[in-house]
Amino acid sequence: MLLVDEERLRRHDLSDAEWAPLEPLMPDHPRQGRRWSDHRLVLDAVFLRTRTGMPWRDLPQRFGPWQTVYNRHRR
């Protein structure tokens, strides 16, 4: 199994300038129920998966459960 350097993956994460116009478009936390996972982190995971073509299950652990990222992508 090939180990990928985490720093090489992070260089493609959203910058503050890229995130600023997207942040207001993200849904607020619900009044009831579970809070949303970090929107920026989920978007970074979706972009990584799209860019590399890796299976959802192979997302690095720093993004949290792959099912969360998958479900948010499907929404």
Side-chain angles (χ1 to χ4, degrees), residues 20-50:
L22 296 175
E23 188 173 20
L25 302 174
M26 297 295 120
D28 292 331
H29 291 291
R31 291 182 185 204
Q32 296 179 352
R34 295 184 56 183
R35 295 177 59 88
W36 289 102
S37 296
D38 179 31
H39 297 302
R40 187 174 183 171
L41 192 61
V42 170
L43 282 177
D44 284 337
V46 169
F47 294 151
L48 171 69
R49 194 256 172 200
T50 303

